[in-house]
């Protein structure tokens, strides 16, 4: 493994998630602080719609026409300009323009998350090294969270200005990344390529389809957390929501280092099931936290972030990379993000927005009894997903090692 390439990928992941954390981590709290709590669900639904529309098409461009790092650079510099415009419309409570610009941010940003994964997998052994590199994204998320929390920006539009600045830095840095040319550039272009049918054919694989369905539905508890946890934390009496949330990110870093070992030792099914089960426990703990306003239940719930995220969503990224051929790798990562942050987020945001608006009608401490009921809904959903996954998902990591083909091919393989 080339240490120079690894270090460059680490920095890319750090800034990528630093930028995302700045605008996305407390977006719900920012909207709530400016009197627009009732559109939080709409905002996340629009991000889901944006992710349905753009990652697969952008992935096709990166797979066929332009180097992935150059596509990322263009997307980030344009997005930085859009991010700069958001605060003025939030501050004037212009709902229409706020939602429109959030939609554009989603169109431009989420393809870069898939591309950052694709670039990384193109230069490393995924099972062994991806968790190590991806963990620096958690560091970036944690650092920006502490900055926003400790400086009192958790509910401020300053978060969007921070994101815009990070976007400019990341756009320039992308131009220094290892070249990741399009794998299918020399292949004849066919009409099916426009529709990305080769990547979509992955759904013919039964176990790939089962995992994608599980991800889609599990986006309900994930969105119930990501969109509304800052509002919940504030209702509990904590004013530094962004800093509090870093408890979970710090734990996520620890479990990221354990992910490779668990995958190689126990395989995908057990690892993914542990991730799903953790969402059940987590939402139960949040429900208890609403009844007991001490710190124990909320802290333990936040600490489960590592299991909830790493053992399911990050493990899912690795699984998708193993399933995809090199020439459709960027598109395959795009599919995963469409299922989760696209169609899944659109569906989950609509559901969670409805639940929140009809369940949590009070604010502050008066809302806590209502939050108890709110957290019951994602608990039930996660339990259903776990049962479905355990019954039908059979695909796992082979106990055999891959044929030795240089350092890049050492690791586990998947039974297909």
């Amino acid at each position: 493994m080339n240490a120079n390439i690894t270090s460059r990928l680490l920095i890319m992941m750090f800034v990528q998630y630093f930028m995302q954390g700045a605008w996305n981590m407390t977006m719900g709290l920012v909207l709530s602080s400016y009197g627009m709590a009732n559109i939080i669900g709409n905002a996340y639904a629009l991000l889901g719609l944006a992710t349905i529309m753009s990652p697969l098409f952008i992935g096709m461009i990166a797979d066929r026409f332009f180097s992935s790092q150059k596509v990322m650079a263009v997307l980030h510099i344009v997005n930085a300009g859009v991010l700069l415009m958001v605060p003025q419309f939030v501050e004037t409570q212009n709902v229409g323009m706020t939602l429109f610009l959030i939609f554009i941010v989603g169109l431009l940003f989420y393809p870069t998350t898939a591309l950052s994964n694709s670039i990384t997998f193109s230069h490393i052994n995924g099972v062994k090294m991806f968790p190590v590199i991806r963990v620096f994204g958690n560091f970036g998320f944690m650092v920006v969270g502490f900055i926003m929390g400790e400086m009192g920006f958790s509910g401020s539009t300053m978060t969007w200005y921070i994101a815009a600045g990070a976007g400019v830095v990341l756009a320039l840095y992308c131009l220094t990344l290892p070249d990741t040319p399009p794998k299918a550039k020399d292949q004849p272009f066919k009409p099916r390529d426009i529709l990305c049918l080769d990547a979509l054919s992955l759904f013919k694989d039964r176990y790939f389809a089962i995992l994608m369905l599980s991800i889609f539905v599990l986006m309900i508890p994930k969105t119930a957390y990501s969109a509304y946890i800052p509002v919940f934390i504030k209702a509990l009496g904590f004013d530094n929501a962004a800093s509090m949330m870093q408890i979970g990110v710090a734990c996520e870093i620890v479990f990221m280092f354990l992910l490779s070992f668990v995958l190689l030792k126990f395989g995908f099914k057990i690892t993914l099931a542990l991730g799903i089960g953790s969402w059940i426990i987590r939402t139960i703990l949040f429900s208890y936290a609403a009844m007991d306003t001490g710190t124990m239940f909320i802290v333990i719930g936040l600490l489960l972030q590592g299991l909830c995220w790493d053992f399911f969503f990050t493990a899912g990224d690795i699984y998708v990379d193993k399933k995809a051929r090199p020439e459709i790798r960027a598109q395959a990562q795009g599919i995963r993000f469409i299922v989760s942050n696209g169609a899944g987020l659109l569906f989950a945001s609509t559901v969670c927005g409805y639940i929140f608006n009809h369940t949590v009608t009070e604010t502050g401490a008066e809302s806590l009894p209502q939050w108890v009921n709110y957290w019951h809904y994602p608990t039930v959903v996660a339990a259903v997903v776990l049962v479905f996954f355990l019954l039908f998902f059979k695909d796992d990591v082979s106990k055999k090692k891959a044929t030795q083909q240089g350092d890049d091919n050492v690791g586990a393989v998947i039974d297909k």
Side-chain angles (χ1 to χ4, degrees), residues 28-193:
L29 182 57
V30 172
L31 294 174
S32 178
S33 299
Y34 287 87
M36 294 189 286
N38 62 326
I39 69 163
I40 294 174
N42 295 332
Y44 280 92
L46 283 172
L47 289 177
L49 179 61
T51 311
I52 292 172
M53 297 171 62
S54 59
L56 195 59
F57 177 72
I58 296 297
M60 184 270 292
I61 291 175
D63 282 333
R64 279 202 160 270
F65 300 110
F66 302 103
S67 294
S68 294
Q69 76 278 5
K70 294 179 182 178
V71 176
M72 274 188 70
V74 172
L75 291 172
H76 278 308
I77 197 65
V78 175
N79 202 16
V82 178
L83 289 164
L84 276 174
M85 295 188 289
V86 174
Q88 61 180 306
F89 295 108
V90 173
E91 292 163 4
T92 58
Q93 297 183 351
N94 188 325
V95 172
M97 282 302 298
T98 296
L99 291 174
F100 173 72
L101 290 178
I102 287 173
F103 174 66
I104 299 301
V105 168
L107 282 177
L108 295 168
F109 180 81
Y110 283 115
T112 67
T113 306
L115 286 174
S116 67
N117 283 358
S118 178
I119 290 170
T120 302
F121 283 123
S122 295
H123 297 280
I124 64 167
N125 173 274
V127 173
K128 298 182 72 176
M129 288 302 299
F130 181 73
V132 176
I133 292 173
R134 174 60 179 79
V135 79
F136 277 78
N138 299 81
F139 282 128
F141 208 79
M142 185 168 63
V143 168
V144 74
F146 275 123
I147 290 174
M148 295 192 303
E150 297 308 308
M151 296 190 71
F153 295 154
S154 294
S156 167
T157 52
M158 180 60 68
T159 57
W160 294 87
Y161 291 114
I162 295 172
V168 173
V169 172
L170 185 53
L172 296 174
Y173 183 75
C174 283
L175 298 176
T176 73
L177 290 172
D179 186 37
T180 310
K183 295 290 192 299
K185 185 175 182 179
D186 296 328
Q187 296 182 14
F189 186 78
K190 305 180 292 294
R192 65 183 285 114
D193 297 325

Side-chain angles (χ1 to χ4, degrees), residues 161-272:
Y161 291 114
I162 295 172
V168 173
V169 172
L170 185 53
L172 296 174
Y173 183 75
C174 283
L175 298 176
T176 73
L177 290 172
D179 186 37
T180 310
K183 295 290 192 299
K185 185 175 182 179
D186 296 328
Q187 296 182 14
F189 186 78
K190 305 180 292 294
R192 65 183 285 114
D193 297 325
I194 299 176
L195 300 176
C196 305
L197 294 181
D198 288 332
L200 291 172
S201 67
L202 287 169
F203 281 99
K204 293 179 181 179
D205 185 298
R206 177 184 177 187
Y207 301 121
F208 180 90
I210 288 171
L211 177 59
M212 292 301 106
L213 179 58
S214 300
I215 289 174
F216 177 83
V217 179
L218 200 70
M219 285 300 294
I220 292 177
K222 179 187 177 296
T223 305
Y225 170 81
S226 60
Y228 295 101
I229 192 66
V231 184
F232 179 56
I233 289 174
K234 188 171 183 178
L236 289 172
F238 300 99
D239 293 325
N240 57 340
S243 294
M244 284 283 293
M245 292 171 68
Q246 301 323 301
I247 295 172
V249 179
C251 189
E252 191 177 339
I253 290 170
V254 174
F255 279 97
M256 191 70 80
F257 284 112
L258 295 174
L259 179 57
S260 293
F261 169 78
V262 176
L263 275 176
L264 291 170
K265 181 73 174 178
F266 300 106
F268 276 107
K269 182 170 184 174
I270 292 177
T271 304
L272 292 163

